């Protein structure tokens, strides 16, 4: 929409959102803001002259599914656009409940008994008559604080810090509550989707554990991946595909120890089992779809 249209709304809906890029670690040094990453639905909430509208990251309108967020946003000035994560808190489990959120988000309208949703805000794209996307994050963040204070209690500010070590502690200590990791952003960056200079960095929580290496996928000399049994008995194929040097090292270790290839319907892959399992170190990334990454064979192999 053009500037000044729709009673102060100066961005076109549905708005394009910045997408974080995966990173291996939380960046150190000055100039970064680090916020917790929650397990929810990414949305943009916009206050228009016709009322509050909520769009998912894929630009699907989900306004009807979250009437409490509509009521909270209605207290804001026309033209306000917030970027945030919708979450549902499970008081009994003392954790964020993605399944409950998913049920609400996919329903045409929430049931009267459905748990309440909260929008956790982490960026501000616009205020009445003013597009803030060209402003640095530091400016947008200060404006966002004021906006959240004006909104209803169903709109909250994300937990954020300048201290990378504090962010790592949150990522470690809040995992049981459903904190998936940390998103890091440069304080001096504008809000520009698709611009690598404005990219946010997303670091997911991960555990490094010992697993039973029970087979490989791909050729013997340079395997594509490892088939492992994790503590607890769950079997998984490591991803992404092994780097050439790592594949060659694993190939040497399993040479002469492999049986015939088998088709595994559970893993949906063909793999070659080891005649005797080895011990491998793997990194297990948390989330709705856990990712198991091969690190190395244990030193005693």
């Amino acid at each position: 929409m053009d500037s000044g249209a729709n009673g102060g709304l100066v961005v076109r809906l549905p708005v394009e959102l910045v997408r974080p890029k995966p990173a291996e670690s939380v960046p150190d040094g000055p100039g970064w803001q680090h916020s917790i990453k929650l397990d929810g639905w990414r949305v943009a909430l916009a206050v228009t002259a016709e009322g509050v509208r909520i769009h998912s990251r894929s630009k699907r309108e989900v306004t009807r599914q979250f009437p409490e967020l509509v009521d909270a946003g209605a207290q804001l000035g026309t033209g306000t656009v917030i970027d945030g994560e919708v979450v549902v808190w499970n008081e009994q489990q003392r954790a964020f409940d993605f399944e409950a959120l998913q049920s609400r988000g996919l329903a045409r309208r929430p049931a009267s008994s459905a748990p309440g949703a909260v929008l956790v805000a982490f960026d501000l794209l616009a205020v009445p008559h003013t597009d803030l996307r060209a402003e640095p994050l530091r400016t947008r963040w200060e404006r966002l604080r004021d906006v959240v204070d004006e909104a209803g209690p169903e709109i909250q500010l994300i937990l954020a810090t300048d201290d990378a070590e504090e962010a790592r502690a949150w990522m470690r200590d809040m995992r049981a509550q459903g904190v998936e990791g940390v998103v890091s952003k440069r304080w001096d960056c504008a809000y520009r989707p698709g611009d690598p200079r404005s990219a946010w960095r997303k670091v997911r929580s991960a555990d490094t554990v010992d697993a039973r290496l029970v087979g490989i996928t791909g050729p013997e000399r340079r395997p594509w991946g490892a088939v492992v049994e994790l503590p607890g008995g769950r079997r998984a194929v490591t991803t992404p595909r092994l780097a050439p040097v790592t594949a060659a090292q694993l190939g040497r270790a399993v040479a002469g120890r492999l049986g015939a290839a088998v088709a595994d319907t559970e893993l949906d892959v063909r793999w070659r089992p080891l005649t005797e399992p080895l011990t491998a170190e793997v990194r297990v990334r948390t989330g709705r779809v856990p990712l198991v990454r091969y690190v190395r064979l244990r030193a005693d192999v």
Side-chain angles (χ1 to χ4, degrees):
M1 297 182 181
D2 297 331
S3 177
N6 203 2
L9 183 64
V10 294
V11 301
R12 185 179 297 275
L13 299 181
V15 66
E16 189 76 26
L17 300 178
V18 171
R19 301 197 178 196
K21 294 182 178 296
E24 290 295 325
S25 60
V26 177
D28 287 299
W32 290 95
Q33 184 211 57
H34 312 287
S35 59
I36 58 174
K37 183 185 183 305
L38 300 174
D39 190 10
W41 274 25
R42 179 86 178 276
V43 303
L45 180 147
V47 186
T48 76
E50 291 76 33
V52 173
R53 295 178 63 188
I54 305 172
H55 291 91
S56 70
R57 188 178 65 178
S58 63
K59 300 183 180 180
R60 181 170 71 93
E61 185 158 4
V62 293
T63 307
R64 291 188 301 177
Q65 286 89 325
F66 302 106
E68 66 271 63
L69 302 185
V70 172
D71 291 342
Q75 302 182 41
L76 302 174
T78 301
T80 303
V81 182
I82 296 174
D83 184 359
E85 195 91 0
V86 179
V87 295
V88 167
W89 178 257
N90 187 312
E91 187 62 34
Q92 184 175 3
Q93 298 177 5
R94 301 296 300 168
F96 294 104
D97 190 338
F98 182 79
E99 286 71 23
L101 173 67
Q102 189 84 330
S103 296
R104 284 204 51 175
L106 296 178
R108 295 192 65 180
R109 292 185 185 277
S112 58
S113 59
V118 172
L119 175 63
V120 182
F122 43 71
D123 214 323
L124 184 65
L125 281 60
V127 292
H129 306 289
T130 306
D131 188 339
L132 297 175
R133 289 174 292 183
E135 299 292 333
L137 173 62
R138 190 174 300 279
T139 298
R140 303 196 309 272
W141 180 253
E142 291 303 319
R143 301 288 295 269
L144 179 62
R145 287 178 178 273
D146 295 336
V147 166
V148 170
D149 285 344
E150 297 171 4
E154 292 80 12
I155 298 179
Q156 300 287 329
L157 194 67
I158 192 74
L159 185 62
T161 180
D162 288 348
D163 188 335
E165 192 56 42
E166 184 176 23
R168 294 186 190 103
W170 290 346
M171 188 164 60
R172 180 184 64 247
D173 299 340
M174 296 183 181
R175 288 185 56 208
Q177 285 74 46
V179 171
E180 289 191 319
V182 165
V183 176
S184 300
K185 313 167 192 175
R186 296 289 307 183
W187 277 116
D188 59 359
C189 274
Y191 192 100
R192 294 193 179 97
D195 185 344
R197 294 171 298 177
S198 302
W200 302 352
R201 300 186 184 183
K202 174 178 62 179
V203 181
R204 288 184 178 271
S205 301
D207 276 341
T208 300
V209 299
D210 283 347
R212 296 175 73 240
L213 176 67
V214 296
I216 63 165
T217 62
E220 176 179 337
R221 294 184 60 185
R222 292 183 182 272
W224 300 335
V227 181
V228 297
E229 286 185 0
L230 301 171
R234 184 172 70 88
R235 186 173 289 176
V237 179
T238 60
T239 55
R241 182 175 291 198
L242 299 177
V245 172
T246 303
Q249 291 172 340
L250 179 57
R252 289 193 295 270
V254 302
R257 303 188 185 196
L258 296 171
V262 297
D264 192 318
T265 56
E266 182 180 351
L267 296 178
D268 194 27
V269 70
R270 288 182 63 84
W271 58 282
R272 297 186 64 184
L274 279 163
T275 54
E276 184 177 348
L278 301 174
T279 303
E281 183 179 338
V282 297
R283 177 161 291 173
V284 182
R285 191 182 73 184
T286 60
R288 296 188 295 278
V289 182
L291 174 68
V292 181
R293 188 186 188 107
Y294 178 87
V295 179
R296 59 181 177 177
L297 286 174
R298 297 299 297 166
D300 56 343
V301 174

